[in-house]
Each structure stands twice: as C-alpha cells, then as structure tokens.
Amino acid sequence: MRALRSPVVAAVAVAAALTVVSGCAAKSDSKGGKGVIEVAASDNACELSADTFPAGHVRFAVQNKGSKVTEVYVYAPGDRIVTERENIGPGTSAEITAEIKPGHYEVACKPGMKGDGIRQKLTADGKGADAKRDPRLDAAVAAYRTYVQQEADRTLPAAQKFADAVRAGDVAEAKKTYALSRVGWERTEPVAESFGDIDPKVDVRADGLEDGQKWTGWHRLEKSLWQEKKISADDKKLAAQLIDDLKDWQKRVGTADITPTSMANGAKELLDEVATGKVTGEEERYSHTDLVDFQGNVEGAQKAYDLLKPVVSKNDPELTKELDRQFKEIHARLDDHRDKGSADGFVSYDTVGKEARKKLSDSVNALAEPLSKLAAAVAVTK
C-alpha cells in the first residue's frame, strides 16, 4: 500500500563510494560487464549517470542528497513499475538490482514519497538479460507466477464475504471478515502494485490520497466500521466497487512482468511495508488488525525467497543461512501475539506494548538487511 510514510532508515549501504558523472552510456562493473546507473536524488532533482544502458541485469546505485526521505521507481510505459526502493533517508544510499528488458523507461525520484516524482527518461538497448540463466530461476518464476494467481483467486471469495456483510449492513460480520479478506493481497502486494492503478483504488490510506482523488477501498470501509461504527449507503457502493477492482486485479495479475530479480526485490518491498506501516500501527489504524497484514507480508516474502533459494544457496550460501535464521526469528516474534479466540488469529495491535513493538521492529530490521542482498545474489552468473 503506497502512502506517505514516516522516515524509516533501513537503507542498504552502497559497496563503493558513488560519484555522479555525466555520460550517455551506463558504467560497467567488474563482474561480467553488468551496468550500473548512479542516481543522485535531492529535494528538487533526479540526476542519472546515463540515459542509455545495456538491457539485462542493471544496478541502480542511489544517493539521497536531499533533506527529505525519498523513493526511486523505474517505470515502463503506462507507469508499470519495473522496480523500486522506498524509504531512502536523507544522506543515505541504496542499491537496486533489476532485470531490465530492451525498451524505453523513466526513473522517478519522489522526495517526500508522494506524487509522480521528478522524472528522467532512459533507454535499455541490446538483446536483454544473460542468455545462460540458470533453469532453476525460470522454474522459480513459473512457480511464483502460479502462487500469485492462486492468492488472487483465493482473495476474491474472502473479499466477497466482507463486501456482502457491508452491503447487508452487518457491522459485526464485516469486522469479522475484514482482515481475512486482505491476506492474499498482502502476500503478493508488490505484484499488485506493479500495475500502478489498482493499489490506489483498493488499499490507499487517507494520508496517501492525491489531490482530487476519491477515497475508496478497504481502508475507507475500515474507518466506517471501526471509527464511525456504521455502514452508509455510500459504503455499500464502495464495497461493490472493491469487488470490481479486485476482479480487475485477479484478471490482470497473470500478465505481470515477473523476473527472478523482481521476485527478490518484491520480497524486500514486503519487509519495507511491514517496517513502515504494520509495526508502526499506521496501516490498520482503525481496526488494529496490523498483525494479520504483517504475517501476510512475511509469508509473501518468504515464498519468493524459498523459490529462489536453490540458486541463492549456491551463489551465496552464507546469505541463505542468515535469511533462514531471520525468517525463523520473525515468525517466532509473530507467534508471541497469537490469539486463538480472535477471528483472524491475532491480538488487537493496540494491545501490543511499546517494548513488544520494538522487538517486532528489531526482527523486521534484522531480516530486511540480508533480504536487501537477495536480488544481487540472484543476478550472479557463474
């Protein structure tokens, strides 16, 4: 869910000092000639070291030279998200490894993490990614595509129960089914968000609305159920619209452009979602069902990792050991807050104290750091 977020500095340090240079071709690194584009983001500029680069695996090395938290997106035509990195704090750096097909793109730096961003055009030329890709990565992509479609298919019946309760004016039943209707979405959120237009319709919070945007989707209904404690005629219309928008997502999810690096980056994005919305309690500020979303994000991240693990364990065995350990740890922290008597299996997040929230946050940060290295490990060719 894309919304204005508080600064959370968990960015990945760039391995070498970065100097923004002018030029019309991407620099090459020392490992097989893969491109690196340096991005200097500030409060009023987005400078690239190149406007053309070889298609295939490319690293975007980002420095935030501004005073605001920023995020960087790479868009294909139609504002389809190819890759992204959020929550890059002032004075910090981040590195994004992605597989880019030949074509025309835009890089957007978004100071304050709102709006369309400051954009620069760039072109990927050539034939594309390394021809000798490990066949296990192709299998991982195929399996992940199946997983994403299955989650979308499973979401619709759960969301329909929620929408039916809203349309019937049944506040109690709508509350009971609300969090469970969101699980599949939370597990696969980066793929859903890649389309650009669906997420703002179904999962935006009030503080993420653009000027003139009507508030629709889950969180508008959440506010009605928990804060206003009633269901209006407009809410019933919004419930019907939510189902229509989710059906659109279900239909389109099979067309998503999925690569091994997008799977890896998506896993990191899911942890960013936890750090900036779930742990803080901002995501489900009315219902306090944040732990359900938290679990969904972690499960989705682990699914992507598990599918990529056969290759990553070969390329970086120490990374797999650390990721295995940290996933186990974060599940243990979630288990501390189970409640078998609740409809969704967790305690209400407003009952989780400051110290317990810190433990959850520490677990998220401990997992996010090695997870940020997953895409680079996937991109290694031997």
Side-chain angles (χ1 to χ4, degrees):
M1 182 266 332
R2 309 209 177 283
L4 182 61
R5 297 182 175 114
S6 57
V8 177
V9 180
V12 184
V14 177
L18 303 177
T19 303
V20 176
V21 297
S22 61
C24 59
K27 296 173 66 177
S28 294
D29 64 22
S30 59
K31 297 180 180 180
K34 296 182 179 65
V36 54
I37 304 293
E38 295 168 357
V39 183
S42 66
D43 295 344
N44 52 21
C46 186
E47 300 177 14
L48 307 182
S49 64
D51 56 21
T52 303
F53 63 95
H57 289 122
V58 60
R59 290 188 292 120
F60 294 89
V62 183
Q63 277 190 315
N64 183 359
K65 298 186 174 183
S67 62
K68 303 176 181 178
V69 175
T70 195
E71 54 191 13
V72 173
Y73 289 75
V74 179
Y75 289 114
D79 275 5
R80 290 176 64 96
I81 300 171
V82 177
T83 191
E84 63 172 293
R85 183 56 53 84
E86 301 178 353
N87 298 294
I88 307 171
T92 67
S93 302
E95 191 168 290
I96 316 166
T97 300
E99 186 176 318
I100 309 291
K101 296 179 179 180
H104 300 289
Y105 300 88
E106 287 186 329
V107 170
C109 302
K110 298 187 179 183
M113 301 197 299
K114 286 202 81 172
D116 292 333
I118 305 163
R119 300 198 177 199
Q120 299 288 355
K121 297 182 184 298
L122 74 166
T123 299
D125 58 22
K127 295 183 179 180
D130 303 279
K132 296 182 179 179
R133 187 160 81 182
D134 191 316
R136 291 176 296 180
L137 291 177
D138 292 324
V141 169
Y144 188 68
R145 189 178 295 280
T146 298
Y147 170 74
V148 171
Q149 186 65 63
Q150 287 174 339
E151 290 303 315
D153 293 344
R154 290 168 180 163
T155 295
L156 260 296
Q160 190 67 60
K161 287 183 180 179
F162 169 66
D164 288 347
V166 173
R167 296 175 71 181
D170 190 337
V171 173
E173 182 64 16
K175 285 183 174 182
K176 182 179 178 181
T177 54
Y178 168 77
L180 297 175
S181 75
R182 294 174 46 75
V183 172
W185 175 274
E186 293 294 333
R187 287 173 177 162
T188 61
E189 201 165 358
V191 175
E193 290 176 341
S194 71
F195 296 108
D197 60 332
I198 297 177
D199 181 77
K201 295 177 183 178
V202 305
D203 199 33
V204 70
R205 300 195 310 252
D207 53 356
L209 295 170
E210 302 292 344
D211 291 341
Q213 180 184 351
K214 182 182 178 181
W215 191 12
T216 61
W218 271 302
H219 293 302
R220 177 62 189 91
L221 294 168
E222 178 202 5
K223 182 180 180 182
S224 293
L225 293 169
W226 273 272
Q227 181 169 295
E228 298 166 9
K229 296 180 172 54
K230 62 182 181 180
I231 295 172
S232 68
D234 188 52
D235 290 332
K236 295 178 181 181
K237 293 178 182 178
L238 290 177
Q241 182 180 341
L242 174 65
I243 296 302
D244 288 343
D245 291 333
L246 289 175
K247 285 180 178 178
D248 182 30
W249 163 55
Q250 180 191 32
K251 181 179 179 180
R252 293 163 62 184
V253 73
T255 68
D257 188 8
I258 299 173
T259 66
T261 54
S262 76
M263 290 169 59
N265 287 325
K268 175 59 168 62
E269 290 163 27
L270 285 168
L271 262 291
D272 290 342
E273 290 282 342
V274 176
T276 58
K278 282 69 174 184
V279 168
T280 62
E282 295 175 66
E283 178 83 357
E284 306 289 358
R285 60 190 63 176
Y286 310 109
S287 65
H288 306 300
T289 56
D290 303 270
L291 289 170
V292 183
D293 291 356
F294 189 136
Q295 178 176 257
N297 287 160
V298 170
E299 288 173 340
Q302 184 159 14
K303 181 66 176 182
Y305 164 62
D306 286 344
L307 291 172
L308 296 169
K309 185 176 176 180
V311 172
V312 178
S313 62
K314 174 186 174 183
N315 293 343
D316 194 340
E318 291 304 313
L319 179 61
T320 58
K321 289 179 183 178
E322 181 64 12
L323 284 170
D324 286 345
R325 187 172 73 85
Q326 295 300 341
F327 269 115
K328 183 177 180 180
E329 172 67 19
I330 205 166
H331 283 297
R333 293 285 73 77
L334 278 166
D335 287 344
D336 290 340
H337 306 287
R338 300 282 180 182
D339 179 3
K340 294 181 180 179
S342 70
D344 55 48
F346 284 100
V347 301
S348 179
Y349 198 58
D350 58 344
T351 68
V352 178
K354 183 177 180 180
E355 189 60 33
R357 291 191 184 200
K358 184 179 184 304
K359 288 181 180 180
L360 286 167
S361 179
D362 289 346
S363 293
V364 170
N365 291 334
L367 174 57
E369 194 281 326
L371 203 57
S372 69
K373 302 175 183 177
L374 186 60
V378 167
V380 171
T381 55
K382 295 184 179 181

